[in-house]
Amino acid sequence: MAEDNHFVTPKKSISNPLLRSTYLRYSPTPELYANEAQEAFDTPPSPVSPGVVHPRIPQSSHISSEASNSFSIRDEEQYRAEATVNKGGAMSNQDTSPGLRSYAAAAEVNGGHYHGVSPADRLLARKENVLDDHTNNHSTARPLAQSQPAKLEQEVKEQDGNYLTSLKMPSDYEEALEKNKKEDPRLRHNTKPSQPARTDSLASGRKAGEGWATSAIRWAPLNIPLQRRLQTFMVLLHGLSIIGLLSLFLFLCAIPLLWPILVPYMIYCLFSGASTSGELSHRSERLRRSKAWSAFASYYPARLHRCQELPPTRKYLFGYHPHGIISHGAFAAFATEALGFSQLFPGITNTLLTLESNFRVPIYRDYALALGLASVSRESCDNLLSRGGPNGEGMGRAITIVVGGARESLDAKPGQIKLVLKRRKGFIKLAIRNGADLVPVLGFGENDLYEQFQPDKHPFVHKFQMLVKKWVGFTIPLFHARGVFNYDVGLLPYRRPINVVVGRPIEVEQQGKPENAYIDQIHQRYMDELIRLWDEHKERFAPMRTGELEIVE
């Protein structure tokens, strides 16, 4: 109902007899709500069902609180004026209007304080002051506490803004409303045209974009935090380092002005022995400690653990297992300081070894040498373990070899670890000749970073890979993982944790020409330590494993 801020309104007739009788029933002063009754008739009906009290709807009543406040102030002023004329005496029913009598009755309920009468009580007073006969008797008002049942009092008390009250209309209300629609153009335009009946002959095409919800590829959302974007960028940069730096060199070769510089540089790369000299003259601690590698390691994330402290007065040969596809765990732990190698093993200078062919790629070779990488050739290993250090004989030096090599990468499968180790004894001989203690290292989660074609399901592909390894010296596994903007297709590794656990050192006795029996003995102790690492930490670092550690070939 529209709000009315005036106490006295022009008298206006109500054309609808049904609404007229309704408002006469609830109005102590019919002329007060003449305009409101007509506006209610002009406004389409509310969709709320008649006679139902709806909770939690911010409507107080059919009479607004603002109208009630203005009504009470004017009632009080008129009441005081009449009380002054009556010399302060009590107000009689004959001298006052029905509205003032209802206000007085409500004030009596509140102890005679007219300013403290709440809007709900004022509304109750107006509703209670229903005349016995609107046409004949205007002199007798029913008492407040005896004229209305308790149900109406409860409804009035609930007029606090949390309930919506609707009047229950007579049974012929809908029929009368439909009849009035034909006469009033303001209500006629609210009627909606009838919808045509649906037929079964209507055929619809596919819903556009419906396949995105059932797509097999899970796309990355746009609201990825900046830190995770930097992590993905560093892993992508590392994976494309060889291709990217080689492409940069080829681009520079396309500029004739740079040929006088590039030709001598290419000759230097072909004959340089920096990767095998063991001097580590190109090693850059600033590059190794860069914060960019922290973003790289936190992508998986990767962590380094030790089982025992290593004294810096010895030499060490770390054997990393398994090889995986690209050995991300070995790179993060031993080629950078992202995992804190120097903190766990102070006084030890470790060098990660890789293929000699990597140091023949222009520009990339300088990048690898700056990270402290070296060739895995026999000459390089002997020089690293026999030169440098405080005594100039390799004390405090360590090298890391990924023992399984390219052959082991073909067996990399998530949830399993298969080590190509039974016939790999060359690194045992190398350690004995140089007097370096053997330290087994197990990378939990290394095989979980990629999926690849399995040899048992694709035997012809496996044979082709073995031929490539025989001709070239290494092979390329056919693998896949996730992409930059999706989680299912691409060459980026999965975000799966890597835990690099460094085992206990196996002390060896230096021998120039070690005997086979002593080699087999050290080899067996080495494998036993690897199995111990697996059995002791598999529950913590490999809870989703599908198989146990296997040593094959």
Side-chain angles (χ1 to χ4, degrees), residues 1 3 46 48 52-66 158-166:
M1 180 177 295
E3 296 183 0
S46 171
V48 180
V52 180
V53 178
H54 299 270
R56 298 184 181 179
I57 300 181
Q59 301 291 338
S60 59
S61 65
H62 294 284
I63 303 175
S64 65
S65 60
E66 183 178 356
E158 292 175 350
Q159 304 301 323
D160 56 353
N162 294 328
Y163 295 88
L164 175 64
T165 305
S166 301

Side-chain angles (χ1 to χ4, degrees), residues 274 276-282 383-384 387 397:
T276 58
S277 64
E279 298 177 357
L280 302 178
S281 58
H282 295 74
N383 292 335
L384 287 169
R387 301 179 184 179
R397 284 285 187 93

